[in-house]
Amino acid sequence: CNSLNIKDIKIVGYDSVPENIQCLKTGMIDFIISQRPEYQGAEALHNLFRSLMLQIDVPKKIDVPIDIITRENLP
């Protein structure tokens, strides 16, 4: 434990909510992992419509990309 340098510890936030973005800007956290909640919600509604209204088979699993946000690539 004596060799542990507190500067080596990275703090990761989950989802790009305003509070996490502010913490990222101030340096309280180092990274944010965002799972694109808008995309997830839109895709879920789209597949629900396709399944119920159009009677189309929808995938049982949908891969969702993640974004790793740092101060350098903060939108």
Side-chain angles (χ1 to χ4, degrees), residues 13-32:
Y14 187 77
D15 283 336
S16 56
V17 294
E19 295 84 3
N20 283 348
I21 291 173
Q22 184 60 34
C23 288
L24 182 65
K25 287 179 179 179
T26 62
M28 291 180 67
I29 61 176
D30 299 293
F31 304 98
I32 297 173

Side-chain angles (χ1 to χ4, degrees), residues 5 10 56:
N5 185 349
K10 302 296 182 195
I56 297 173

